[in-house]
């Protein structure tokens, strides 16, 4: 429910910007879109060209299959899109997966695409920015970039398996990581298996 105080809307609309970049793990972005649909949260999607290449190598999905999961889809070069402005209110943004190139561009503030511009806007508006960074091992430059982003307010959330959940499939591992990332927006997706203490 929208909370109005002194004529101002305090609670933003239930919408999240989803960026999918070219790192391995495009399925994370696809499942974020599925989860947001399940949760009734409007998804605003921007995908890089490298992500579409990864999509063709890692899944049986077509670009239309992927973009069909989103409520609103933007072209990568459309820097005049709504998500390029801080006046377009959202709950925040998630980049899943987030490549090192995308992470580094966001960290510098020198943005060359709608995806990184939207991430920059998210930071400047002090909204949650969650980066599901996919890279290993990490060198010192990667770690310093992550530190800089954390200092700016971003959350670095690499998709790591939660083995206490005893996943029976890769998809269960993917869904656990996606659900935990969505926890950072205050969203509770039913696919998450929560720790229930020692047995």
């Amino acid at each position: 429910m929208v909370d109005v105080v002194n004529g101002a809307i305090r609670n933003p609309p239930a919408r999240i910007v989803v960026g999918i970049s070219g790192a391995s793990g495009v399925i994370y972005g696809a499942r974020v879109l599925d989860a947001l649909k399940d949760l009734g949260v409007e998804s605003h999607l921007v995908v890089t060209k490298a992500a579409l290449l990864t999509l063709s190598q890692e899944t049986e999905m077509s670009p239309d299959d992927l973009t069909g999961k989103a409520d609103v889809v933007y072209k990568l070069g459309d820097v005049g899109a709504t998500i390029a402005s801080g006046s377009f209110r959202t709950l925040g943004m998630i980049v899943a997966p987030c490549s090192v190139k995308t992470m580094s561009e966001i960290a510098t503030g020198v943005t060359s695409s709608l995806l990184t511009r939207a991430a920059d806007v998210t930071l400047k508006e002090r909204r949650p920015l969650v980066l599901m960074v996919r890279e290993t091992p990490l060198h010192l430059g990667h770690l310093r970039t992550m530190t800089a982003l954390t200092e700016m307010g971003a959350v670095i959330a690499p998709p790591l398996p939660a083995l206490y959940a005893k996943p029976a499939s890769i998809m269960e591992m993917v869904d656990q990581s996606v659900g935990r990332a969505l926890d950072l927006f205050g969203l509770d997706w039913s696919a998450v298996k929560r720790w229930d203490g020692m047995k």
Side-chain angles (χ1 to χ4, degrees):
M1 184 171 174
V2 173
D3 184 13
V4 179
V5 176
N6 295 330
I9 298 174
R10 290 178 51 186
N11 295 332
R15 61 169 74 112
I16 287 181
V17 180
V18 179
I20 302 179
S21 68
S24 180
V26 69
I27 192 62
Y28 291 107
R31 291 300 285 159
V32 165
L33 294 170
D34 291 338
L36 293 178
K37 190 172 291 294
D38 288 350
L39 293 164
V41 176
E42 191 176 279
S43 57
H44 290 251
L45 175 66
V46 58
V47 183
T48 68
K49 292 177 183 177
L52 294 177
L53 178 63
T54 305
L55 182 76
S56 71
Q57 299 300 302
E58 293 184 349
T59 76
E60 301 300 317
M61 282 186 283
S62 70
D64 287 344
D65 292 334
L66 179 64
T67 58
K69 293 174 178 288
D71 293 301
V72 183
V73 181
Y74 303 91
K75 293 181 180 177
L76 188 63
D78 184 9
V79 293
T82 55
I83 61 172
S85 172
S87 66
F88 184 72
R89 303 193 68 202
T90 70
L91 296 175
M93 180 174 181
I94 183 168
V95 184
C98 182
S99 67
V100 164
K101 176 186 175 186
T102 297
M103 175 186 74
S104 301
E105 195 170 304
I106 296 166
T108 65
V110 182
T111 57
S112 65
S113 72
L114 179 58
L115 192 158
T116 52
R117 168 59 185 167
D120 192 60
V121 164
T122 302
L123 287 174
K124 80 178 183 69
E125 297 295 327
R126 309 305 194 265
R127 297 172 186 151
L129 174 64
V130 176
L131 306 177
M132 296 184 77
V133 178
R134 278 282 296 108
E135 189 62 83
T136 193
L138 301 165
H139 62 60
L140 185 57
H142 297 150
L143 295 171
R144 285 181 172 155
T145 301
M146 290 179 185
T147 298
L149 281 163
T150 301
E151 289 170 344
M152 288 182 225
V155 177
I156 307 298
L160 301 171
L163 298 180
Y164 67 80
K166 298 182 179 177
S169 66
I170 290 174
M171 194 57 72
E172 284 190 11
M173 287 190 283
V174 167
D175 286 355
Q176 183 75 10
S177 290
V178 165
R180 292 291 287 120
L182 292 177
D183 279 353
L184 297 166
F185 298 91
L187 299 172
D188 185 6
W189 190 33
S190 61
V192 175
K193 293 182 179 177
R194 309 225 174 251
W195 177 248
D196 194 28
M198 298 292 288
K199 299 291 188 285

